[in-house]
mmCIF file of all heavy atoms in Angstrom:
data_model
loop_
_atom_site.group_PDB
_atom_site.id
_atom_site.type_symbol
_atom_site.label_atom_id
_atom_site.label_comp_id
_atom_site.label_asym_id
_atom_site.label_seq_id
_atom_site.Cartn_x
_atom_site.Cartn_y
_atom_site.Cartn_z
ATOM 1 N N ARG D 12 35.281 -38.879 28.920
ATOM 2 C CA ARG D 12 34.104 -39.312 28.146
ATOM 3 C C ARG D 12 33.054 -38.205 28.094
ATOM 4 O O ARG D 12 32.504 -37.911 27.024
ATOM 5 C CB ARG D 12 33.496 -40.566 28.782
ATOM 6 C CG ARG D 12 32.263 -41.095 28.026
ATOM 7 C CD ARG D 12 31.658 -42.311 28.709
ATOM 8 N NE ARG D 12 31.128 -42.029 30.023
ATOM 9 C CZ ARG D 12 29.935 -41.452 30.239
ATOM 10 N NH1 ARG D 12 29.170 -41.097 29.216
ATOM 11 N NH2 ARG D 12 29.506 -41.221 31.460
ATOM 12 N N LYS D 13 32.785 -37.559 29.238
ATOM 13 C CA LYS D 13 31.791 -36.483 29.271
ATOM 14 C C LYS D 13 32.232 -35.310 28.395
ATOM 15 O O LYS D 13 31.422 -34.717 27.676
ATOM 16 C CB LYS D 13 31.572 -35.994 30.710
ATOM 17 C CG LYS D 13 30.645 -36.869 31.527
ATOM 18 C CD LYS D 13 30.452 -36.323 32.928
ATOM 19 C CE LYS D 13 29.601 -35.072 32.926
ATOM 20 N NZ LYS D 13 29.323 -34.600 34.305
ATOM 21 N N SER D 14 33.518 -34.983 28.451
ATOM 22 C CA SER D 14 34.030 -33.874 27.638
ATOM 23 C C SER D 14 33.875 -34.171 26.154
ATOM 24 O O SER D 14 33.464 -33.308 25.374
ATOM 25 C CB SER D 14 35.501 -33.603 27.973
ATOM 26 O OG SER D 14 35.635 -33.157 29.293
ATOM 27 N N ALA D 15 34.220 -35.398 25.761
ATOM 28 C CA ALA D 15 34.095 -35.780 24.351
ATOM 29 C C ALA D 15 32.630 -35.764 23.917
ATOM 30 O O ALA D 15 32.294 -35.256 22.836
ATOM 31 C CB ALA D 15 34.709 -37.162 24.133
ATOM 32 N N GLN D 16 31.748 -36.315 24.752
ATOM 33 C CA GLN D 16 30.317 -36.304 24.434
ATOM 34 C C GLN D 16 29.789 -34.876 24.324
ATOM 35 O O GLN D 16 28.956 -34.575 23.468
ATOM 36 C CB GLN D 16 29.534 -37.058 25.514
ATOM 37 C CG GLN D 16 29.632 -38.568 25.430
ATOM 38 C CD GLN D 16 28.964 -39.121 24.166
ATOM 39 O OE1 GLN D 16 28.108 -38.477 23.555
ATOM 40 N NE2 GLN D 16 29.373 -40.304 23.749
ATOM 41 N N MET D 17 30.280 -34.006 25.193
ATOM 42 C CA MET D 17 29.836 -32.620 25.177
ATOM 43 C C MET D 17 30.156 -31.962 23.832
ATOM 44 O O MET D 17 29.318 -31.270 23.246
ATOM 45 C CB MET D 17 30.519 -31.849 26.313
ATOM 46 C CG MET D 17 30.067 -30.413 26.458
ATOM 47 S SD MET D 17 30.798 -29.682 27.928
ATOM 48 C CE MET D 17 32.527 -29.667 27.480
ATOM 49 N N ILE D 18 31.361 -32.210 23.335
ATOM 50 C CA ILE D 18 31.757 -31.626 22.047
ATOM 51 C C ILE D 18 30.894 -32.189 20.914
ATOM 52 O O ILE D 18 30.425 -31.445 20.037
ATOM 53 C CB ILE D 18 33.256 -31.906 21.787
ATOM 54 C CG1 ILE D 18 34.108 -31.157 22.817
ATOM 55 C CG2 ILE D 18 33.642 -31.500 20.372
ATOM 56 C CD1 ILE D 18 35.523 -31.664 22.919
ATOM 57 N N LEU D 19 30.668 -33.504 20.928
ATOM 58 C CA LEU D 19 29.839 -34.125 19.888
ATOM 59 C C LEU D 19 28.414 -33.583 19.922
ATOM 60 O O LEU D 19 27.802 -33.344 18.869
ATOM 61 C CB LEU D 19 29.833 -35.648 20.062
ATOM 62 C CG LEU D 19 31.184 -36.347 19.862
ATOM 63 C CD1 LEU D 19 31.081 -37.819 20.245
ATOM 64 C CD2 LEU D 19 31.653 -36.210 18.415
ATOM 65 N N LYS D 20 27.875 -33.378 21.118
ATOM 66 C CA LYS D 20 26.504 -32.872 21.240
ATOM 67 C C LYS D 20 26.406 -31.413 20.806
ATOM 68 O O LYS D 20 25.401 -30.995 20.228
ATOM 69 C CB LYS D 20 26.015 -33.018 22.686
ATOM 70 C CG LYS D 20 25.916 -34.453 23.166
ATOM 71 C CD LYS D 20 24.817 -35.232 22.446
ATOM 72 C CE LYS D 20 24.723 -36.655 22.967
ATOM 73 N NZ LYS D 20 23.665 -37.435 22.298
ATOM 74 N N LEU D 21 27.446 -30.629 21.088
ATOM 75 C CA LEU D 21 27.452 -29.234 20.629
ATOM 76 C C LEU D 21 27.305 -29.177 19.112
ATOM 77 O O LEU D 21 26.569 -28.355 18.565
ATOM 78 C CB LEU D 21 28.750 -28.531 21.061
ATOM 79 C CG LEU D 21 28.864 -28.113 22.525
ATOM 80 C CD1 LEU D 21 30.274 -27.647 22.841
ATOM 81 C CD2 LEU D 21 27.875 -26.999 22.848
ATOM 82 N N ARG D 22 28.012 -30.086 18.445
ATOM 83 C CA ARG D 22 27.909 -30.144 16.976
ATOM 84 C C ARG D 22 26.521 -30.630 16.554
ATOM 85 O O ARG D 22 25.914 -30.075 15.636
ATOM 86 C CB ARG D 22 28.978 -31.085 16.425
ATOM 87 C CG ARG D 22 30.398 -30.570 16.604
ATOM 88 C CD ARG D 22 31.405 -31.636 16.186
ATOM 89 N NE ARG D 22 32.774 -31.185 16.383
ATOM 90 C CZ ARG D 22 33.825 -32.001 16.403
ATOM 91 N NH1 ARG D 22 33.655 -33.298 16.232
ATOM 92 N NH2 ARG D 22 35.037 -31.526 16.594
ATOM 93 N N GLU D 23 26.035 -31.664 17.243
ATOM 94 C CA GLU D 23 24.743 -32.237 16.887
ATOM 95 C C GLU D 23 23.616 -31.214 17.037
ATOM 96 O O GLU D 23 22.730 -31.122 16.195
ATOM 97 C CB GLU D 23 24.465 -33.448 17.782
ATOM 98 C CG GLU D 23 23.135 -34.142 17.512
ATOM 99 C CD GLU D 23 22.874 -35.283 18.483
ATOM 100 O OE1 GLU D 23 23.860 -35.836 19.035
ATOM 101 O OE2 GLU D 23 21.693 -35.612 18.705
ATOM 102 N N TYR D 24 23.670 -30.428 18.122
ATOM 103 C CA TYR D 24 22.602 -29.458 18.377
ATOM 104 C C TYR D 24 22.837 -28.121 17.684
ATOM 105 O O TYR D 24 21.989 -27.233 17.745
ATOM 106 C CB TYR D 24 22.460 -29.215 19.886
ATOM 107 C CG TYR D 24 22.129 -30.455 20.687
ATOM 108 C CD1 TYR D 24 22.644 -30.634 21.970
ATOM 109 C CD2 TYR D 24 21.314 -31.461 20.174
ATOM 110 C CE1 TYR D 24 22.355 -31.766 22.723
ATOM 111 C CE2 TYR D 24 21.020 -32.594 20.907
ATOM 112 C CZ TYR D 24 21.540 -32.746 22.183
ATOM 113 O OH TYR D 24 21.251 -33.865 22.916
ATOM 114 N N GLY D 25 24.008 -27.970 17.047
ATOM 115 C CA GLY D 25 24.292 -26.730 16.324
ATOM 116 C C GLY D 25 24.484 -25.530 17.225
ATOM 117 O O GLY D 25 24.173 -24.392 16.849
ATOM 118 N N ILE D 26 24.998 -25.746 18.431
ATOM 119 C CA ILE D 26 25.245 -24.637 19.367
ATOM 120 C C ILE D 26 26.619 -24.049 19.059
ATOM 121 O O ILE D 26 27.637 -24.733 19.156
ATOM 122 C CB ILE D 26 25.174 -25.126 20.827
ATOM 123 C CG1 ILE D 26 23.764 -25.642 21.133
ATOM 124 C CG2 ILE D 26 25.549 -24.027 21.800
ATOM 125 C CD1 ILE D 26 23.621 -26.255 22.513
ATOM 126 N N SER D 27 26.642 -22.771 18.677
ATOM 127 C CA SER D 27 27.909 -22.144 18.296
ATOM 128 C C SER D 27 28.149 -20.807 18.990
ATOM 129 O O SER D 27 29.271 -20.315 19.020
ATOM 130 C CB SER D 27 27.959 -21.930 16.774
ATOM 131 O OG SER D 27 26.864 -21.136 16.345
ATOM 132 N N ASP D 28 27.091 -20.194 19.533
ATOM 133 C CA ASP D 28 27.262 -18.917 20.234
ATOM 134 C C ASP D 28 28.116 -19.138 21.487
ATOM 135 O O ASP D 28 27.829 -20.028 22.284
ATOM 136 C CB ASP D 28 25.892 -18.354 20.629
ATOM 137 C CG ASP D 28 26.017 -17.059 21.400
ATOM 138 O OD1 ASP D 28 26.261 -16.024 20.763
ATOM 139 O OD2 ASP D 28 25.874 -17.088 22.634
ATOM 140 N N PRO D 29 29.180 -18.342 21.699
ATOM 141 C CA PRO D 29 30.084 -18.563 22.850
ATOM 142 C C PRO D 29 29.361 -18.572 24.193
ATOM 143 O O PRO D 29 29.662 -19.399 25.059
ATOM 144 C CB PRO D 29 31.067 -17.391 22.755
ATOM 145 C CG PRO D 29 31.083 -17.021 21.304
ATOM 146 C CD PRO D 29 29.686 -17.262 20.818
ATOM 147 N N ALA D 30 28.388 -17.665 24.368
ATOM 148 C CA ALA D 30 27.657 -17.614 25.642
ATOM 149 C C ALA D 30 26.857 -18.899 25.850
ATOM 150 O O ALA D 30 26.794 -19.434 26.967
ATOM 151 C CB ALA D 30 26.732 -16.400 25.669
ATOM 152 N N GLU D 31 26.254 -19.415 24.765
ATOM 153 C CA GLU D 31 25.474 -20.645 24.882
ATOM 154 C C GLU D 31 26.381 -21.862 25.098
ATOM 155 O O GLU D 31 26.016 -22.794 25.815
ATOM 156 C CB GLU D 31 24.600 -20.836 23.645
ATOM 157 C CG GLU D 31 23.468 -19.818 23.545
ATOM 158 C CD GLU D 31 22.373 -20.258 22.590
ATOM 159 O OE1 GLU D 31 22.579 -21.247 21.863
ATOM 160 O OE2 GLU D 31 21.317 -19.605 22.580
ATOM 161 N N ILE D 32 27.555 -21.831 24.483
ATOM 162 C CA ILE D 32 28.517 -22.918 24.702
ATOM 163 C C ILE D 32 28.917 -22.959 26.176
ATOM 164 O O ILE D 32 28.959 -24.021 26.800
ATOM 165 C CB ILE D 32 29.756 -22.754 23.803
ATOM 166 C CG1 ILE D 32 29.385 -23.024 22.338
ATOM 167 C CG2 ILE D 32 30.885 -23.694 24.247
ATOM 168 C CD1 ILE D 32 30.505 -22.753 21.359
ATOM 169 N N ASN D 33 29.187 -21.780 26.757
ATOM 170 C CA ASN D 33 29.553 -21.725 28.173
ATOM 171 C C ASN D 33 28.416 -22.227 29.052
ATOM 172 O O ASN D 33 28.632 -22.940 30.037
ATOM 173 C CB ASN D 33 29.932 -20.297 28.572
ATOM 174 C CG ASN D 33 31.288 -19.904 28.041
ATOM 175 O OD1 ASN D 33 32.140 -20.758 27.818
ATOM 176 N ND2 ASN D 33 31.506 -18.622 27.835
ATOM 177 N N CYS D 34 27.185 -21.842 28.710
ATOM 178 C CA CYS D 34 26.015 -22.299 29.455
ATOM 179 C C CYS D 34 25.894 -23.814 29.372
ATOM 180 O O CYS D 34 25.698 -24.498 30.382
ATOM 181 C CB CYS D 34 24.753 -21.623 28.923
ATOM 182 S SG CYS D 34 23.225 -22.208 29.679
ATOM 183 N N TYR D 35 26.038 -24.342 28.157
ATOM 184 C CA TYR D 35 25.931 -25.784 27.923
ATOM 185 C C TYR D 35 26.984 -26.538 28.730
ATOM 186 O O TYR D 35 26.698 -27.536 29.392
ATOM 187 C CB TYR D 35 26.097 -26.054 26.429
ATOM 188 C CG TYR D 35 25.975 -27.505 26.027
ATOM 189 C CD1 TYR D 35 24.750 -28.054 25.670
ATOM 190 C CD2 TYR D 35 27.090 -28.326 25.997
ATOM 191 C CE1 TYR D 35 24.643 -29.384 25.306
ATOM 192 C CE2 TYR D 35 26.998 -29.653 25.636
ATOM 193 C CZ TYR D 35 25.771 -30.174 25.280
ATOM 194 O OH TYR D 35 25.676 -31.495 24.927
ATOM 195 N N LYS D 36 28.221 -26.026 28.704
ATOM 196 C CA LYS D 36 29.312 -26.680 29.414
ATOM 197 C C LYS D 36 29.061 -26.707 30.909
ATOM 198 O O LYS D 36 29.288 -27.715 31.578
ATOM 199 C CB LYS D 36 30.623 -25.949 29.126
ATOM 200 C CG LYS D 36 31.226 -26.246 27.759
ATOM 201 C CD LYS D 36 32.312 -25.254 27.429
ATOM 202 C CE LYS D 36 33.310 -25.169 28.550
ATOM 203 N NZ LYS D 36 34.159 -23.977 28.451
ATOM 204 N N SER D 37 28.591 -25.584 31.461
ATOM 205 C CA SER D 37 28.365 -25.518 32.906
ATOM 206 C C SER D 37 27.255 -26.479 33.329
ATOM 207 O O SER D 37 27.300 -27.064 34.407
ATOM 208 C CB SER D 37 28.026 -24.089 33.338
ATOM 209 O OG SER D 37 26.778 -23.687 32.812
ATOM 210 N N VAL D 38 26.266 -26.655 32.458
ATOM 211 C CA VAL D 38 25.173 -27.591 32.753
ATOM 212 C C VAL D 38 25.685 -29.027 32.738
ATOM 213 O O VAL D 38 25.424 -29.817 33.647
ATOM 214 C CB VAL D 38 24.015 -27.415 31.746
ATOM 215 C CG1 VAL D 38 23.049 -28.577 31.822
ATOM 216 C CG2 VAL D 38 23.279 -26.108 32.010
ATOM 217 N N VAL D 39 26.432 -29.376 31.700
ATOM 218 C CA VAL D 39 26.900 -30.751 31.532
ATOM 219 C C VAL D 39 27.895 -31.125 32.623
ATOM 220 O O VAL D 39 27.848 -32.212 33.195
ATOM 221 C CB VAL D 39 27.532 -30.946 30.138
ATOM 222 C CG1 VAL D 39 28.216 -32.302 30.041
ATOM 223 C CG2 VAL D 39 26.466 -30.814 29.065
ATOM 224 N N ARG D 40 28.784 -30.203 32.934
ATOM 225 C CA ARG D 40 29.805 -30.508 33.940
ATOM 226 C C ARG D 40 29.176 -30.744 35.303
ATOM 227 O O ARG D 40 29.622 -31.586 36.062
ATOM 228 C CB ARG D 40 30.798 -29.349 34.046
ATOM 229 C CG ARG D 40 31.765 -29.258 32.903
ATOM 230 C CD ARG D 40 32.900 -28.320 33.238
ATOM 231 N NE ARG D 40 32.441 -27.034 33.721
ATOM 232 C CZ ARG D 40 32.653 -25.892 33.094
ATOM 233 N NH1 ARG D 40 33.270 -25.877 31.956
ATOM 234 N NH2 ARG D 40 32.235 -24.751 33.607
ATOM 235 N N GLY D 41 28.111 -29.943 35.615
ATOM 236 C CA GLY D 41 27.528 -30.031 36.944
ATOM 237 C C GLY D 41 28.430 -29.362 37.959
ATOM 238 O O GLY D 41 27.970 -28.850 38.964
ATOM 239 N N ASN D 42 29.731 -29.322 37.681
ATOM 240 C CA ASN D 42 30.669 -28.613 38.524
ATOM 241 C C ASN D 42 31.524 -27.756 37.601
ATOM 242 O O ASN D 42 31.145 -27.504 36.466
ATOM 243 C CB ASN D 42 31.508 -29.597 39.348
ATOM 244 C CG ASN D 42 31.751 -29.086 40.745
ATOM 245 O OD1 ASN D 42 32.191 -27.966 40.907
ATOM 246 N ND2 ASN D 42 31.463 -29.895 41.748
ATOM 247 N N PHE D 43 32.699 -27.324 38.071
ATOM 248 C CA PHE D 43 33.436 -26.352 37.283
ATOM 249 C C PHE D 43 34.783 -26.865 36.789
ATOM 250 O O PHE D 43 35.713 -26.115 36.592
ATOM 251 C CB PHE D 43 33.657 -25.066 38.095
ATOM 252 C CG PHE D 43 34.112 -25.305 39.506
ATOM 253 C CD1 PHE D 43 35.447 -25.493 39.789
ATOM 254 C CD2 PHE D 43 33.205 -25.359 40.523
ATOM 255 C CE1 PHE D 43 35.869 -25.723 41.067
ATOM 256 C CE2 PHE D 43 33.610 -25.585 41.824
ATOM 257 C CZ PHE D 43 34.947 -25.768 42.099
ATOM 258 N N HIS D 44 34.916 -28.182 36.616
ATOM 259 C CA HIS D 44 36.160 -28.722 36.081
ATOM 260 C C HIS D 44 35.843 -29.866 35.128
ATOM 261 O O HIS D 44 34.851 -30.553 35.267
ATOM 262 C CB HIS D 44 37.071 -29.218 37.195
ATOM 263 C CG HIS D 44 36.384 -30.151 38.147
ATOM 264 N ND1 HIS D 44 36.194 -31.479 37.876
ATOM 265 C CD2 HIS D 44 35.825 -29.926 39.348
ATOM 266 C CE1 HIS D 44 35.556 -32.044 38.876
ATOM 267 N NE2 HIS D 44 35.309 -31.125 39.776
ATOM 268 N N GLU D 45 36.720 -30.047 34.171
ATOM 269 C CA GLU D 45 36.567 -31.140 33.210
ATOM 270 C C GLU D 45 37.909 -31.331 32.536
ATOM 271 O O GLU D 45 38.813 -30.518 32.683
ATOM 272 C CB GLU D 45 35.471 -30.811 32.187
ATOM 273 C CG GLU D 45 35.589 -29.428 31.612
ATOM 274 C CD GLU D 45 35.264 -29.352 30.136
ATOM 275 O OE1 GLU D 45 35.434 -30.355 29.461
ATOM 276 O OE2 GLU D 45 34.873 -28.283 29.700
ATOM 277 N N SER D 46 38.033 -32.389 31.762
ATOM 278 C CA SER D 46 39.341 -32.741 31.224
ATOM 279 C C SER D 46 39.837 -31.749 30.181
ATOM 280 O O SER D 46 41.037 -31.627 29.968
ATOM 281 C CB SER D 46 39.302 -34.149 30.623
ATOM 282 O OG SER D 46 38.353 -34.213 29.582
ATOM 283 N N LEU D 47 38.922 -31.050 29.511
ATOM 284 C CA LEU D 47 39.334 -30.090 28.480
ATOM 285 C C LEU D 47 39.078 -28.647 28.919
ATOM 286 O O LEU D 47 38.944 -27.756 28.095
ATOM 287 C CB LEU D 47 38.588 -30.379 27.174
ATOM 288 C CG LEU D 47 38.924 -31.722 26.517
ATOM 289 C CD1 LEU D 47 38.058 -31.934 25.285
ATOM 290 C CD2 LEU D 47 40.398 -31.790 26.149
ATOM 291 N N GLY D 48 39.013 -28.439 30.237
ATOM 292 C CA GLY D 48 38.692 -27.103 30.740
ATOM 293 C C GLY D 48 39.648 -26.031 30.260
ATOM 294 O O GLY D 48 39.235 -24.954 29.825
ATOM 295 N N LEU D 49 40.960 -26.311 30.317
ATOM 296 C CA LEU D 49 41.934 -25.287 29.937
ATOM 297 C C LEU D 49 41.956 -25.050 28.433
ATOM 298 O O LEU D 49 42.387 -23.984 27.982
ATOM 299 C CB LEU D 49 43.337 -25.662 30.431
ATOM 300 C CG LEU D 49 43.560 -25.569 31.944
ATOM 301 C CD1 LEU D 49 45.037 -25.657 32.264
ATOM 302 C CD2 LEU D 49 42.977 -24.307 32.539
ATOM 303 N N HIS D 50 41.511 -26.011 27.651
ATOM 304 C CA HIS D 50 41.397 -25.780 26.205
ATOM 305 C C HIS D 50 40.437 -24.621 25.947
ATOM 306 O O HIS D 50 40.706 -23.746 25.117
ATOM 307 C CB HIS D 50 40.901 -27.042 25.505
ATOM 308 C CG HIS D 50 40.768 -26.905 24.017
ATOM 309 N ND1 HIS D 50 41.808 -27.159 23.152
ATOM 310 C CD2 HIS D 50 39.722 -26.512 23.234
ATOM 311 C CE1 HIS D 50 41.417 -26.935 21.897
ATOM 312 N NE2 HIS D 50 40.141 -26.559 21.930
ATOM 313 N N TYR D 51 39.316 -24.623 26.708
ATOM 314 C CA TYR D 51 38.310 -23.583 26.522
ATOM 315 C C TYR D 51 38.721 -22.249 27.141
ATOM 316 O O TYR D 51 38.595 -21.202 26.516
ATOM 317 C CB TYR D 51 36.983 -24.007 27.164
ATOM 318 C CG TYR D 51 36.224 -25.078 26.426
ATOM 319 C CD1 TYR D 51 36.211 -26.387 26.882
ATOM 320 C CD2 TYR D 51 35.489 -24.777 25.289
ATOM 321 C CE1 TYR D 51 35.505 -27.375 26.221
ATOM 322 C CE2 TYR D 51 34.779 -25.759 24.621
ATOM 323 C CZ TYR D 51 34.789 -27.053 25.092
ATOM 324 O OH TYR D 51 34.081 -28.022 24.436
ATOM 325 N N VAL D 52 39.171 -22.295 28.396
ATOM 326 C CA VAL D 52 39.309 -21.041 29.139
ATOM 327 C C VAL D 52 40.688 -20.401 29.033
ATOM 328 O O VAL D 52 40.847 -19.227 29.385
ATOM 329 C CB VAL D 52 38.936 -21.227 30.627
ATOM 330 C CG1 VAL D 52 37.518 -21.701 30.786
ATOM 331 C CG2 VAL D 52 39.898 -22.166 31.340
ATOM 332 N N MET D 53 41.702 -21.156 28.550
ATOM 333 C CA MET D 53 43.032 -20.549 28.453
ATOM 334 C C MET D 53 43.667 -20.707 27.066
ATOM 335 O O MET D 53 44.192 -19.749 26.513
ATOM 336 C CB MET D 53 43.962 -21.123 29.530
ATOM 337 C CG MET D 53 43.478 -20.824 30.937
ATOM 338 S SD MET D 53 44.715 -21.088 32.225
ATOM 339 C CE MET D 53 45.659 -19.581 32.137
ATOM 340 N N PHE D 54 43.618 -21.915 26.511
ATOM 341 C CA PHE D 54 44.279 -22.136 25.226
ATOM 342 C C PHE D 54 43.589 -21.346 24.107
ATOM 343 O O PHE D 54 44.227 -20.535 23.416
ATOM 344 C CB PHE D 54 44.294 -23.638 24.907
ATOM 345 C CG PHE D 54 45.085 -24.002 23.677
ATOM 346 C CD1 PHE D 54 46.470 -23.990 23.698
ATOM 347 C CD2 PHE D 54 44.449 -24.367 22.490
ATOM 348 C CE1 PHE D 54 47.209 -24.331 22.569
ATOM 349 C CE2 PHE D 54 45.176 -24.710 21.357
ATOM 350 C CZ PHE D 54 46.558 -24.689 21.397
ATOM 351 N N LEU D 55 42.281 -21.564 23.937
ATOM 352 C CA LEU D 55 41.549 -20.851 22.879
ATOM 353 C C LEU D 55 41.574 -19.336 23.055
ATOM 354 O O LEU D 55 41.861 -18.603 22.092
ATOM 355 C CB LEU D 55 40.109 -21.355 22.802
ATOM 356 C CG LEU D 55 39.838 -22.521 21.841
ATOM 357 C CD1 LEU D 55 38.411 -23.019 22.000
ATOM 358 C CD2 LEU D 55 40.093 -22.110 20.397
#
């Protein structure tokens, strides 16, 4: 749920810069794992 909300909010706030996306993700996660973590750090 948090991962899905994170993606929706990224679109809502218009955050597209990779560095800002990483910052946003680290803030939302609070820790360093999430259900779509490998999509970001390995698949893409």
Side-chain angles (χ1 to χ4, degrees):
R12 181 182 64 80
K13 280 181 72 175
S14 295
Q16 284 294 338
M17 184 174 66
I18 294 163
L19 295 172
K20 296 292 181 180
L21 284 171
R22 293 173 182 164
E23 180 183 336
Y24 300 145
I26 297 175
S27 58
D28 178 78
E31 291 198 350
I32 290 174
N33 286 333
C34 175
Y35 182 90
K36 283 166 52 196
S37 67
V38 166
V39 171
R40 285 194 309 244
N42 219 309
F43 45 85
H44 51 81
E45 47 141 333
S46 60
L47 295 176
L49 289 193
H50 181 88
Y51 287 104
V52 300
M53 298 195 81
F54 186 74
L55 269 173

